[in-house]
């Protein structure tokens, strides 16, 4: 496929002036893959909210609808892929849902990557009334990329063992008709380590996360609901923002069910996730290495009490941990060194 | 200079979802050069205004100031370069002027590329009250990139012969203290063809434009006000939007007064303009070639009467002429084939 035929992605998510989260974490990487990206900003903020202080405004539902309606009227609403991320409230998300519904009706073959950005580690960071809107959106999606907490929120299933994980995936695939689910950054709790096949377990005692993909579009040879793949990745210390946004962008950018070169035993999803995982982790390593070399004042450890007294502590830490996306262009275009972190079949997942 | 040390550019201009003008024409090319781009959107529109119909909203002065103030408070307002383009009205431009003034005070070495976007071919497309604000901004700039009409508007000098062109440049360099002026796309009228040295004249009878750069920071060997360089470029038929925005971005991205490899006889400005001219023209050629291959309905010629009756005529034409930026990544990064279109000294300009 030549670069000029990669097509258009309509990306609807947040915009920050400084740093790389939301659209700023997705657009450049997708452009590096050769996509024209139609960018609609759900907010325009100075920086991401993790800094504690941010300026700017949210785009209202009326403003979003004005943009979508004019694009349609002008016959410019013709993406082959749709990527939606952070949208701050139910009104704005409803406007996004309308355009997603319309696109799906007009072009059923559209690849829709839905990242149901709602929260992390037990904390919602959107208004709770977005949850039902996301549930209504799920059946339109081609792929969803919730984190662990968002799976629990969408399915109402607390994930505490293999039966609950299977139940949650069953709800997503069956009740919500989502063909492809990927869950990144799953904490590798003891029950999960016990459940994964030995070849998916971390190679060292250092902390690792598990990445899971589940595709119901490929009939599993033994008749199970979906084909599940996974891989464990070393956990880098500290928190980096925008990682999930980059990961979702790389999945939708690499997902290609018509690709005849996908190796046997892989699904189109697991193949795309292998690329996304490899590139995202490499960017993260570059970012981590960069931040480690900063002066001490730019990397003071998290200390909620001290951070509260002295807001610049946290702000400087956040600044030093902004993704090194621009400096990772070779990684993003795929010209960098290093092999692929392959998602491997989790053959006994459903047993 | 390694990619990671290119630094940050604060870019303040328009945003469109579809297509490439303003920030969408500047950000990706600057990122391809290795710059972190801090993007502040002066508007969020569905598409550029040349389509005739556009949705979305302008960012208010209050919203812009909220973003700038928070960036400063968070110590994130630390660009080494500043690029300002289309800002729709005087209130918003005043907010931009405040941040430019502050940056210039805090870091006098900042490289400020001011593109005084006001209009083209005799027609203003901003509110007239922006003109005095741009005049106040001029002394802060390192480089300005007005078109022919904007030079006339800023200086109040109608450009009709060499004395008036010299007078306009004298006003910009002397009264407004602008060290570097570049004027692209100058129509090569007979008096101008007569005035340029033979080696700067078009190589063929096909229509050409002249690009002029004038730098007062290098003492001309014969004591003139500035060192002037120029080059003629073939004019491609029809109108392409965003060309000036790409051109300005490429100049500020390539401008480097500390570069010791600049050839004798060139200024830092003319050297940067050579790169900008080469890359912009190559993108334009790629765009033209692409648009020529489109179905007839996507490239119906301009016909004001017909276009009025049938708005989609114009819209389809505009869509087919959006810059092929993403497909020109190799051109933008400088890895593409082809030599440089050198800006050559216009030695007798002031005589």
């Amino acid at each position: 496929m030549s670069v000029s035929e990669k097509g258009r992605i309509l990306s609807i998510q947040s915009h920050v002036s400084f740093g790389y989260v939301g659209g700023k974490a997705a657009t450049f990487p997708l452009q590096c893959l050769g996509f024209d990206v139609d960018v609609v900003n759900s907010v325009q903020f100075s920086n991401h909210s993790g800094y504690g202080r941010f300026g700017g405004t949210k785009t209202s539902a009326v403003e979003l609808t004005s943009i979508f309606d004019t694009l349609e009227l002008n016959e410019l609403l013709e993406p082959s892929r749709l990527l939606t991320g952070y949208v701050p409230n139910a009104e704005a998300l409803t406007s996004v849902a309308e355009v997603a519904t319309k696109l799906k009706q007009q072009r059923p073959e559209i690849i829709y990557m839905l990242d149901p950005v709602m929260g992390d580690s037990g904390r919602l960071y959107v208004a709770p009334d977005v949850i039902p809107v996301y549930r209504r959106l799920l059946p339109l999606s081609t792929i969803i990329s919730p984190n662990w907490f968002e799976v629990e929120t969408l399915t109402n299933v607390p994930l505490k063992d293999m039966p609950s994980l299977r139940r949650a995936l069953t709800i997503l695939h069956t009740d919500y008709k989502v063909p492809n689910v990927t869950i990144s950054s799953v904490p590798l709790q003891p029950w999960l380590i016990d459940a994964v096949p030995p070849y998916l377990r971390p190679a060292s005692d250092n902390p690792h996360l598990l990445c899971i993909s589940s595709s119901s579009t490929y009939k599993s040879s033994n008749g199970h609901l979906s084909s599940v793949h996974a891989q464990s990745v070393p956990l880098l210390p500290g928190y980096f923002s925008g990682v999930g946004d980059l990961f979702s962008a790389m999945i939708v950018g690499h997902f290609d069910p018509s690709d005849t070169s996908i190796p046997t035993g892989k699904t189109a999803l697991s193949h795309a996730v292998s690329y996304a995982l490899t590139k995202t982790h490499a960017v993260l390593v570059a970012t981590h290495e960069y931040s480690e070399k900063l002066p001490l004042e730019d990397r003071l450890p998290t200390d909620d009490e001290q951070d509260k007294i002295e807001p610049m502590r946290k702000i400087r830490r956040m600044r030093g941990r902004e993704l090194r996306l621009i400096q990772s262009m070779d990684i993003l275009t795929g010209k960098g060194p290093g092999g692929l972190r392959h998602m491997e079949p989790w053959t006994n997942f459903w047993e």
Side-chain angles (χ1 to χ4, degrees), chain A residues 40-100:
Chain A
V40 174
N41 302 316
S42 61
V43 308
Q44 176 170 215
F45 288 160
S46 55
N47 47 263
H48 71 71
S49 61
Y51 282 84
R53 293 193 292 231
F54 56 98
T57 38
K58 298 171 183 171
T59 312
S60 72
V62 171
E63 290 169 320
L64 288 173
T65 301
S66 155
I67 292 169
F68 296 139
D69 285 355
T70 314
L71 287 174
E72 190 187 12
L73 194 64
N74 287 351
E75 298 181 7
L76 302 176
L77 192 63
E78 301 190 328
S80 56
R81 296 171 195 225
L82 171 65
L83 167 61
T84 66
Y86 176 79
V87 178
N89 53 55
E91 293 73 35
L93 189 60
T94 302
S95 166
V96 172
E98 281 164 16
V99 82

Side-chain angles (χ1 to χ4, degrees), chain A residues 171-239:
Chain A
I171 290 171
L172 292 172
H173 283 309
T174 308
D175 298 357
Y176 290 111
K177 309 263 183 292
V178 178
N180 297 287
V181 177
T182 171
I183 316 172
S184 65
S185 310
V186 181
L188 260 170
Q189 297 164 51
W191 64 264
L192 195 54
I193 295 185
D194 288 348
V196 296
Y199 55 89
L200 289 180
R201 288 180 195 147
S204 76
D205 280 346
N206 297 330
H208 278 64
L209 296 170
L210 194 71
C211 177
I212 302 172
S213 77
S214 175
S215 184
S216 64
T217 54
Y218 286 67
K219 267 226 179 319
S220 174
S221 58
N222 39 21
H224 292 306
L225 179 64
S226 75
S227 177
V228 177
H229 291 71
Q231 187 52 270
S232 53
V233 207
L235 172 67
L236 295 173
Y239 188 79

Side-chain angles (χ1 to χ4, degrees), chain A residues 11 13-15 21-41 83 245-246 249-250 325:
Chain A
S11 166
Q13 40 188 330
S14 61
H15 172 77
V21 303
K24 279 280 285 297
T27 304
F28 178 67
L30 285 169
Q31 290 173 326
C32 283
L33 292 184
F35 288 98
D36 281 287
V37 186
D38 300 330
V39 177
V40 174
N41 302 316
L83 167 61
D245 307 323
L246 170 61
M250 287 295 89
L325 271 193

